[in-house]
Amino acid sequence: MNWLPELVGLDTALLLILTSTLTSMLTAAMGIGGGVLLLAVMATVVPAAALIPVHGLVQLGSNGNRAILTREHIDWSLVRLFTAGAVIGALIAFFVVVQLSVEVIQLCVAGFILFLVWGPKLGKQEMPPMGLVLAGAGTTLVTMFVGATGPLVAAFVYRLSYEKYRTVATFAACMTVQHLLKMCVFGLIGFAFTDWLPLIFLMIVGGFAGTWVGLHILKKVPADRFQIIFRLLVTALALRLIWQVYSGH
């Protein structure tokens, strides 16, 4: 079909649209997880050269929708600091010639997530403004090479002990900034998004529907249960990254 990119059939397109819907529902309801799951599915059917930029643009739509729907809960002071760092990270990524080993990055990210989620509890005062700037810079640089750094960004937001809506909203805003910068970098280095736009648009529409449903589910999840589910889900994603490295997948 002429609205589909080369090497992507109708069955694959439908799978991607459905997956985008379900993973956006998961992220809206639980706060984290959808981006990594979507990347895992896309990695099996999308050409490697297009995987990270296409995934990034879909996630830009999904997180942007979520940020808009929950905008009154966003901690804008945190987002501004994160954005300052993210711009620095994107500029570095644009000029980087030698890429780090994906396996090394995955292990570092996984280990850091596990420490942030299960390590000694830190108060908000122990995350200084420069720490948030560095978080924005580091995660934005890493996302250019591995695609889904949502669990790492979420781990920073999680440590601030927000209530559930503030967690979901602030995370969505940070990820929107990060994916927008990713699109700028890939666009500047020459990736052609045009062939993928119709499919990406449909995946974003599916993601919007999933976000709407997920946010209604969020209303029914008790705050204490949300924290437990959130922690376990982030841990599972970190362990999955480690498994990918050692299994060779």
Side-chain angles (χ1 to χ4, degrees):
M1 299 180 68
N2 57 12
W3 59 273
L4 293 176
E6 188 176 357
L7 303 179
V8 175
L10 180 59
D11 53 343
T12 298
L14 293 175
L15 170 64
L16 291 174
I17 294 167
L18 177 61
T19 302
S20 178
T21 303
L22 295 177
T23 54
S24 290
M25 185 189 310
L26 172 67
T27 302
M30 301 302 176
I32 179 61
V36 174
L37 295 180
L38 178 61
L39 185 68
V41 173
M42 290 180 64
T44 65
V45 294
V46 172
L51 177 60
I52 292 179
V54 171
H55 173 267
L57 189 51
V58 173
Q59 287 296 287
L60 173 61
S62 178
N63 284 282
N65 286 332
R66 195 175 307 113
I68 291 171
L69 291 174
T70 60
R71 58 190 178 277
E72 66 272 19
H73 300 285
I74 295 173
D75 181 346
W76 289 108
S77 61
L78 184 151
V79 174
R80 284 192 291 270
L81 291 168
F82 183 89
T83 300
V87 170
I88 296 171
L91 289 172
I92 295 173
F94 179 74
F95 291 106
V96 166
V97 177
V98 180
Q99 297 186 11
L100 294 175
S101 163
V102 170
E103 289 78 12
V104 170
I105 294 176
Q106 286 179 314
L107 288 175
C108 289
V109 169
F112 198 41
I113 291 171
L114 292 174
F115 172 77
L116 288 172
V117 174
W118 295 104
K121 185 65 175 177
L122 301 178
K124 185 172 183 179
Q125 68 277 10
E126 296 183 64
M127 179 65 77
M130 184 52 65
L132 295 172
V133 172
L134 291 175
T139 58
T140 300
L141 177 60
V142 170
T143 195
M144 303 294 175
F145 303 104
V146 298
T149 53
L152 186 55
V153 176
F156 280 105
V157 177
Y158 171 78
R159 292 309 293 264
L160 300 180
S161 301
Y162 290 148
E163 52 86 23
K164 59 185 180 180
Y165 275 102
R166 199 166 179 82
T167 297
V168 170
T170 303
F171 170 68
C174 289
M175 293 306 296
T176 299
V177 169
Q178 192 171 89
H179 287 301
L180 180 60
L181 290 170
K182 184 192 297 185
M183 295 308 94
C184 292
V185 170
F186 277 98
L188 288 172
I189 64 177
F191 181 78
F193 286 99
T194 307
D195 294 343
W196 291 86
L197 287 180
L199 177 57
I200 289 172
F201 173 75
L202 291 175
M203 291 177 71
I204 291 175
V205 170
F208 182 82
T211 294
W212 187 85
V213 173
L215 288 174
H216 282 75
I217 294 174
L218 180 62
K219 293 178 181 178
K220 301 178 181 178
V221 180
D224 55 344
R225 185 174 300 177
F226 173 81
Q227 296 289 349
I228 294 172
I229 294 173
F230 190 88
R231 176 176 290 191
L232 292 176
L233 189 53
V234 172
T235 300
L237 294 174
L239 294 176
R240 180 181 179 278
L241 288 175
I242 297 173
W243 176 82
Q244 283 182 311
V245 171
Y246 289 105
S247 67
H249 295 293

